[in-house]
Amino acid sequence: MLRTGVLVSGGGTNLQAILDAIDNGTVTNTEIAVVISNNPGAYALERARKHGIPAECLSPKNFPSREAFNDALVEKVDSYGLDLIVLAGFLVKIPEKMIAKYRNRIINIHPSLIPSFCGVGYYGLKVHEAALERGVKITGATVHFVDEGMDSGPILLQKAVEVKPGDTPETLQRRVMEEAEWKLLPAAIDMIANHRLDGDKQEGGTGK
Ligand code: GAR
């Protein structure tokens, strides 16, 4: 069983996709041990509670310094003895200490085809606003390992999504979630849980 912690900041639709995929057997050998948010109002916390999963909140506002928050976050994560940490819309920079401690055990979902529209300042709707502004015809989502940079770690999975005439950032975000993110993130977890890191579990792959 891959003991997995999911870090969230918002609505938690990606978290929901993971929970559903575990429930319906698409993702195996995986247990969500905890959901942690920096945002007390995150609906993702409610989704975790409804599922009987420990939901923890650590808000930077309740700590005297960023360093104190970072230490508390690492301590909290450590306390659950996790094999994998999934950033599912977690909009906080991961402390370097945590990256070093959990090297190749932290994955992130980003709503574009990295290296397009990623890095500092590109998160949530802003990514889709930038894609529309640039006029790309294809966008998508990426799951990658987290390293010390911003969206710069090794890529695990990517999926392309068409931009359609008349798209707004909101309609594009929704399509990228439905067609890419909600499939890709569970697929990446299943690959890790079942020791298939060569990409052959990707949609259309041989699944050997
Ligand atoms: C998702 O689109 C995710 O890719 C994005 O935030 C959204 C969270 O939605 N993450 C980033 O932009 C990270 N740079 P959710 O809370 O409904 O899963």
Side-chain angles (χ1 to χ4, degrees):
M1 271 293 173
L2 189 79
R3 264 182 81 74
T4 302
V6 184
L7 274 52
V8 295
S9 295
T13 63
N14 278 286
L15 168 67
Q16 192 64 53
I18 298 166
L19 296 175
D20 292 348
I22 292 173
D23 287 349
N24 70 26
T26 311
V27 170
T28 58
N29 292 326
T30 302
E31 169 202 4
I32 304 302
V34 65
V35 171
I36 302 173
S37 179
N38 61 309
N39 168 16
Y43 184 66
L45 289 171
E46 197 51 39
R47 293 182 195 268
R49 285 187 204 105
K50 280 187 183 154
H51 231 84
I53 294 166
E56 303 257 18
C57 181
L58 288 179
S59 170
K61 289 185 196 133
N62 296 334
F63 292 87
S65 64
R66 181 48 72 155
E67 210 189 333
F69 167 75
N70 284 347
D71 288 347
L73 181 63
V74 178
E75 213 171 284
K76 181 60 78 188
V77 164
D78 285 349
S79 75
Y80 280 90
L82 302 173
D83 303 312
L84 178 71
I85 298 163
V86 176
L87 310 183
F90 188 58
L91 304 181
V92 168
K93 188 163 172 22
I94 299 300
E96 291 211 352
K97 183 166 127 180
M98 187 159 138
I99 294 168
K101 204 164 183 176
Y102 291 89
R103 185 146 328 263
N104 295 329
R105 287 193 288 153
I106 309 177
I107 61 171
N108 178 49
I109 178 100
H110 184 77
S112 75
L113 292 174
I114 289 174
S116 289
F117 312 116
C118 65
V120 178
Y122 288 101
Y123 57 89
L125 265 186
K126 288 180 193 291
V127 177
H128 305 292
E129 282 164 9
L132 288 175
E133 184 122 325
R134 184 62 186 84
V136 295
K137 304 300 177 202
I138 299 286
T139 182
T142 303
V143 178
H144 64 93
F145 285 108
V146 173
D147 67 6
E148 282 77 2
M150 193 64 101
D151 301 326
S152 58
I155 291 172
L156 258 142
L157 291 175
Q158 290 191 302
K159 192 163 191 290
V161 174
E162 207 184 326
V163 179
K164 295 198 171 157
D167 261 340
T168 63
E170 290 79 9
T171 60
L172 185 56
Q173 179 182 53
R174 181 78 193 178
R175 190 174 316 111
V176 169
M177 283 177 157
E178 280 176 1
E179 292 184 11
E181 296 189 48
W182 299 341
K183 296 176 182 171
L184 228 43
L185 195 50
I189 295 169
D190 191 58
M191 276 171 61
I192 294 168
N194 292 293
H195 310 288
R196 275 189 310 255
L197 278 183
D198 54 2
D200 65 359
K201 182 64 174 48
Q202 217 168 340
E203 273 198 332
T206 59
K208 66 174 184 281

